[in-house]
Each structure stands twice: as C-alpha cells, then as structure tokens.
Amino acid sequence: MADEALFLLLHNEMVTGVYKSAEQGEVVSDRCVLLAGEHGFRVGQGLIERFTKDTARFKDELDIMKFICKDFWTTVFKKQIDNLRTNHQGIYVLQDNKFRLLTQMSSGKQYLDHAPKVFHRRLGIFVEDKIL
Amino acid sequence: MSRQANRGTESKKMSSELFTLTYGALVTQLCKDYENDEDVNKQLDKMGYNIGVRLIEDFLARSNVGRCHDFRETADVIAKVAFKMYLGITPSITNWSPAGDEFSLILENNPLVDFVELPDNHSSLIYSNLLCGVLRGALEMVQMAVDVKFVQDTLKGDGVTEIRMRFIKRIEDNLPAGEE
C-alpha cells in the first residue's frame, strides 16, 4: 500500500523527466504532452481492467462517466469530482476544485506554466473504451 | 450491497496498484529512452535520489523519530518505520557485518514488482533501483553517506529481495567561510 507522499514525489519526478528529455534540442512541447498522456493512458488501462473485472457492464456513456467521477476518482484522488456537466452530445466537463496533484503547486504564479504539464499526464488516465 | 463492501478493500488495493502501475510505466519509458540497462539503472537511481532528499522531510515531519545514535538504530528506523509508512511492508534486517557498518534488508514481497516480469533482453536491469536512490538521498540529508545496492531480486528468480546497505561516512556540516 504505497503512501500518497511517495506517489506524488514519483509523479513529479516523472513529469520533470519527460520535460527534461525534451529540452535537449526538441522544440515541440506537444510531444511532451503526448508522452505524458501515454504514460497516464497505460496506467489508466491497467487500473480500470483490475477495478472493473468483477463489476457489471456499463449501460451507457453516462454510467461510465458516473463511475469515473465517483469510484475511480475517489480511489485515485481520494475525493469525488465536484461538478460534472455535459451537452448530451458526447462532451463532458469534469471539474475538480482541489486537484490533488496540483495543490502543492498552485500557490505562487511561478508554477502556473508547469501546471498544464502535470494535468495533461493525468488526463491520459481516462479510458473510455470500457463500453465493450 | 456486496458491491459497497467490495469497494472499500478494492480502493485500498487500487491505490497501491496505481503506484505499481505508475512505476511500471516509468521503467518502460526509460527502457525505451535509453539503449542499455546500465543507463536505465543509473537514471532510476538518480530519480530515486531526487525523491529521497524530499521524502526525508515528509518522514521526519510525520514520524516522531529522533536522531539515530548509530547505524543499528538507523537500520531499525528504516525497516520498521519508513518502509512501513511508505510501502506498507516491514523488511527484516540481517547479515550485519562484524564492524557493524553493513547490513541487509530482506523484503519478502516488493510492492513495486506486482504483475511484473523481466523480459530476457533486460537481464541486467535492476527494476527497483529507484529504492536505492531514495535511501541514499534520504540518508544524505541526515548526514550519512551510504552505499545501497540490490544483491537478490525476486524478478531474477531469487527467493527474496535483498538490499545491502553500507555506511561510508558521516557527512560533516560545512559552514560557509566566515561563519565560525
């Protein structure tokens, strides 16, 4: 059972590592975002597979989103999503007022340009193809 | 009803799985970035070091452990408090050297390697090398220079995972010139 502090530090190191490898000559920061997203994607897939193997199939998209906002988010970030909005046409907006991975960075403007890097990695964790 | 009960233990397991999977993604990426295992090992050690120098602060703030008077006390604190707090396991301490400056930590199970298998072409990869860096970095911040390495690894077919720690020297505080 790994402690939160250790996980956060590991996560920070990984984000730093991804961006450091880019600074050596590579210009495209989109690549970093993509890479960070890929990490998250792989992790997310593994997690979802193990977490949902005993649960019933999801009925529809909304069921998936509710699962993500409540169960999944609680497990990964220790709290539920604060706000979920949708236009009922496939777009969902998840709002978390106290995103755990950024709370240690959010005080102080100097970190604002680093915040998106962390966030993009986390976005990669979502796996939508569990509709099956 | 049973779904609710499942969720409690499931979410605890998932937190540790999240960490294990994240670490796995890191090692996978490093293997892609670096061509040989030695470089990956070095990189893991470096990252572990960076984590360790920060982790020690969190550790000292949360545990009520005072200054250790000798290396034996340090070993006890590492195994019984630190490993328990951060990885939920308690390694055993064995194989003390006669001079009392070297010992082994034996891990019956290593949470970092759940679901992991080493492919044949990565036989010299030290998968959990991050841990060595963490220990080295953390102890350096409390004025101890140590050498840490894996001598047995369940991923390579050994029965247990064994980390050997060797005390090198005490790091003296260097006062800036003029502040005697």
Side-chain angles (χ1 to χ4, degrees):
Chain A
M1 203 179 323
D3 189 75
E4 178 172 343
L6 184 55
F7 175 73
L8 288 177
L9 284 172
L10 175 66
H11 185 256
N12 277 338
E13 268 309 302
M14 289 173 74
V15 172
T16 315
V18 166
Y19 280 86
K20 227 175 238 172
S21 67
E23 270 156 35
Q24 299 158 7
E26 287 184 44
V27 178
V28 184
S29 70
D30 284 342
R31 182 189 171 272
C32 305
V33 168
L34 189 64
L35 205 60
E38 269 176 33
H39 279 169
F41 187 82
R42 242 198 306 265
V43 174
Q45 256 188 332
L47 274 179
I48 290 286
E49 260 177 31
R50 299 192 58 76
F51 199 39
T52 57
K53 67 178 171 39
D54 292 324
T55 58
R57 272 204 197 155
F58 294 114
K59 294 192 295 291
D60 56 17
E61 263 182 24
L62 195 56
D63 215 22
I64 294 185
M65 292 315 295
K66 287 207 283 216
F67 167 78
I68 288 184
C69 294
K70 292 203 207 147
D71 302 316
F72 185 73
W73 209 261
T74 310
T75 308
V76 178
F77 300 113
K78 308 275 192 298
K79 62 185 279 294
Q80 291 188 8
I81 279 278
D82 296 307
N83 198 348
L84 171 69
R85 297 196 295 276
T86 177
N87 64 357
H88 297 291
Q89 281 163 19
I91 307 274
Y92 295 89
V93 181
L94 286 71
Q95 187 174 317
D96 186 336
N97 296 333
K98 212 176 167 199
F99 192 48
R100 217 180 60 163
L101 291 170
L102 295 179
T103 46
Q104 294 183 349
M105 301 172 96
S106 56
S107 41
K109 279 199 164 157
Q110 67 204 122
Y111 296 117
L112 278 183
D113 59 334
H114 291 283
K117 301 172 191 169
V118 174
F119 191 64
H120 281 118
R121 183 185 178 277
R122 276 300 150 190
L123 282 182
I125 275 212
F126 293 138
V127 180
E128 282 191 18
D129 60 351
K130 274 299 158 180
I131 271 201
L132 285 182
Chain B
M1 268 306 167
S2 60
R3 213 177 177 192
Q4 289 283 8
N6 261 347
R7 284 284 142 80
T9 43
E10 283 296 323
S11 63
K12 269 210 172 116
K13 254 179 30 187
M14 259 194 74
S15 306
S16 75
E17 287 177 6
L18 174 62
F19 183 76
T20 305
L21 287 170
T22 303
Y23 187 69
L26 167 67
V27 179
T28 311
Q29 187 59 44
L30 287 177
C31 288
K32 280 203 191 122
D33 290 344
Y34 295 93
E35 279 166 12
N36 64 65
D37 291 345
E38 264 320 299
D39 287 339
V40 178
N41 294 339
K42 279 201 194 104
Q43 193 61 20
L44 282 174
D45 184 76
K46 209 165 91 169
M47 290 175 88
Y49 178 85
N50 291 340
I51 292 176
V53 302
R54 294 183 184 99
L55 196 68
I56 185 75
E57 279 181 35
D58 180 80
F59 175 71
L60 292 174
R62 283 162 57 184
S63 68
N64 275 324
V65 171
R67 188 172 275 284
C68 292
H69 296 101
D70 58 26
F71 205 42
R72 278 183 189 264
E73 259 190 74
T74 309
D76 270 344
V77 169
I78 291 174
K80 296 179 184 149
V81 190
F83 264 88
K84 184 98 179 92
M85 189 187 285
Y86 292 111
L87 290 174
I89 56 173
T90 310
S92 47
I93 303 170
T94 62
N95 288 350
W96 276 101
S97 65
D101 62 349
E102 263 190 72
F103 68 93
S104 289
L105 286 164
I106 308 281
L107 284 70
E108 302 283 324
N109 67 309
N110 177 359
L112 292 180
V113 309
D114 287 340
F115 327 124
V116 175
E117 266 179 30
L118 272 190
D120 292 329
N121 58 331
H122 286 290
S123 52
S124 50
L125 177 69
I126 309 172
Y127 185 86
S128 311
N129 210 31
L130 193 98
L131 287 182
C132 294
V134 173
L135 288 166
R136 194 168 57 84
L139 288 175
E140 195 174 295
M141 291 296 110
V142 288
Q143 271 71 54
M144 270 185 260
V146 293
D147 178 62
V148 190
K149 57 177 193 271
F150 277 86
V151 294
Q152 288 195 75
D153 195 346
T154 48
L155 280 186
K156 298 191 178 159
D158 298 315
V160 293
T161 300
E162 181 182 348
I163 301 177
R164 190 93 186 133
M165 292 192 64
R166 181 171 65 91
F167 179 79
I168 299 175
K169 64 174 185 182
R170 189 154 280 278
I171 304 171
E172 297 302 329
D173 282 329
N174 288 323
L175 291 174
E179 271 194 36
E180 292 294 317

